[in-house]
Amino acid sequence: MTADLSSTVKNARSGGNPIAVKSESLGQDALRRLMRNRAAVIGAVIIVLLYLMMVFADKLAPFDYATQTLAEQNAVPPWLTKVFPTMAPYAKAPADNPNKYILGADYVGRDLLSRLIYGARVSLIIAIIGPLISLLIGVVYGCISGYIGGRTDNVMMRIVDVLYAFPSLLFTILLMTFFRSATAKAAPGSFVSLISALDNSLGGLMFIFVGIGMTAWQTKARLTRGQVLSTKEKEYIEAARSIGATDGRILFGHILPNIIGPLVVSETLAIPGYINTEAFLSFIGLGVNPPTPSWGAMISDGSKVVRTYPNQTIFPALMLAITMFAFNFLGDGLRDALDPQMRGRT
């Protein structure tokens, strides 16, 4: 019997009449198993909602994230004093509209809800740019190293080992400190000053992209190299060589399409780490530039008054945790759905 997209089997109970049984493709089977994973579906729904919130932040936010009303600093709506009774002695709200700030205001009278909504832009942009940089550098580097092999592979992997010797977070902090200090003293009109102006126009995100990009690709390069070393010895690769396929054709036309699945799953699971890195950098003052809102920076500001106004810390921390959990759930679901050994078990 030949293997087709649909096979024909005989059923004894039907009198030997052939019954067409449609088989699923790998993609359809993976999607079916992913949809059966409730945690992954919930994670995907949360991520979609967060990105919609990011795109329509201007429409959803009740106030501008940078607008300050010093007379209403640390304003607290009445309902929050019932949730956090310890706030009651310090709570104050605008007399004309006690519920003006749904989640309260910060130490300079900026609406917390608006800053939470706009703060999603930073974390979710990092969730896109971080993996793109990591995949672009790590996959290309790992493909070249694994496919060429020999002395070239040895030298390229030793470079990765040297970079691994530095703690990635500490290395990122040093990079951010160097970039910020170097651009602060740049002469007007110079290339460095133009880079600094570009960083300021992005709210301080550009140097975060550079810091993450220079530290996140090593793991991807190692994983890609291992996948290439395993795949390039397969029979279909030998067949491609035998008919005269070029190295570029073999690498990017045959090997890469067969290893991209595990790489994407691995990168999805790494996204919470990128978000956490940005939040930590913003927490210690090396992240986005004020007044650009970031959940990490909001947690840092709120930590100074956490006993008096816990809402200023708890709400951005909840948003950060929910986002990281959503990406973790989706990554776990993708890993199970794309695992060939799991096919047909669920």
Side-chain angles (χ1 to χ4, degrees):
M1 180 180 293
T2 59
D4 299 316
L5 291 178
S6 61
S7 60
T8 306
V9 296
K10 291 185 177 181
N11 191 328
R13 293 184 180 179
S14 63
N17 295 325
I19 300 176
V21 179
K22 185 177 180 180
S23 60
E24 290 182 325
S25 66
L26 290 175
Q28 291 173 332
D29 181 68
L31 180 60
R32 177 180 58 82
R33 285 188 278 122
L34 179 64
M35 296 303 295
R36 287 189 177 185
N37 189 324
R38 293 183 180 179
V41 172
I42 292 173
V45 170
I46 292 174
I47 291 170
V48 170
L49 292 176
L50 287 171
Y51 274 102
L52 288 175
M53 182 177 73
M54 178 191 78
V55 172
F56 298 105
D58 297 336
K59 305 294 183 182
L60 296 175
F63 300 96
D64 180 72
Y65 67 84
T67 301
Q68 302 180 11
T69 308
L70 295 179
E72 299 173 355
Q73 59 183 349
N74 298 319
V76 179
W79 74 269
L80 270 179
T81 59
K82 300 177 181 179
V83 179
F84 304 105
T86 56
M87 296 173 60
Y90 315 99
K92 60 178 181 178
D96 57 338
N97 186 6
N99 294 306
K100 178 179 179 180
Y101 302 111
I102 299 175
L103 300 181
D106 65 5
Y107 67 102
V108 289
R110 295 175 299 194
D111 179 45
L112 284 179
L113 177 60
S114 299
R115 290 183 63 78
L116 283 176
I117 293 173
Y118 278 99
R121 288 183 170 179
V122 174
S123 294
L124 296 179
I125 289 175
I126 292 294
I128 296 175
I129 302 299
L132 287 179
I133 296 175
S134 177
L135 284 172
L136 180 62
I137 300 176
V139 170
V140 172
Y141 193 94
C143 282
I144 294 173
S145 176
Y147 188 77
I148 295 178
R151 181 174 296 180
T152 301
D153 178 37
N154 189 39
V155 171
M156 294 179 72
M157 284 300 104
R158 296 299 75 76
I159 294 174
V160 173
D161 290 339
V162 171
L163 294 175
Y164 258 121
F166 297 94
S168 59
L169 187 56
L170 178 60
F171 190 46
T172 304
I173 292 173
L174 293 175
L175 285 174
M176 295 294 296
T177 304
F178 171 76
F179 290 142
R180 292 286 168 84
S181 61
T183 55
K185 301 178 181 179
S190 64
F191 176 75
V192 177
S193 67
L194 293 177
I195 295 297
S196 178
L198 178 60
D199 179 58
N200 291 332
S201 67
L202 294 175
L205 283 174
M206 195 191 75
F207 288 143
I208 296 179
F209 296 154
V210 174
I212 291 177
M214 294 184 68
T215 58
W217 62 270
Q218 294 97 324
T219 301
K220 206 59 54 199
R222 277 187 166 181
L223 177 60
T224 303
R225 171 184 175 268
Q227 293 286 333
V228 171
L229 287 175
S230 173
T231 306
K232 74 176 185 178
E233 303 300 331
K234 300 292 185 180
E235 291 79 2
Y236 62 89
I237 301 299
E238 294 296 332
R241 287 197 185 98
S242 67
I243 62 175
T246 63
D247 289 338
R249 173 76 176 176
I250 293 173
L251 183 57
F252 296 104
H254 297 285
I255 294 179
L256 188 57
N258 285 282
I259 67 173
I260 196 65
L263 299 180
V264 171
V265 171
S266 173
E267 201 57 40
T268 304
L269 290 170
I271 288 176
Y274 302 143
I275 296 175
N276 183 64
T277 298
E278 181 279 321
F280 178 75
L281 290 173
S282 296
F283 183 88
I284 63 176
L286 292 175
V288 296
N289 299 327
T292 303
S294 166
W295 293 336
M298 293 178 67
I299 294 172
S300 177
D301 294 337
S303 65
K304 300 178 179 65
V305 291
V306 65
R307 292 187 177 181
T308 310
Y309 303 105
N311 61 312
Q312 297 184 23
T313 301
I314 290 176
F315 290 127
L318 279 176
M319 291 296 296
L320 186 62
I322 290 171
T323 303
M324 294 176 68
F325 273 124
F327 278 106
N328 272 325
F329 290 153
L330 180 60
D332 286 337
L334 285 174
R335 180 186 57 193
D336 295 340
L338 296 175
D339 186 356
Q341 297 181 358
M342 296 291 294
R343 192 180 186 203
R345 295 187 183 182
T346 57

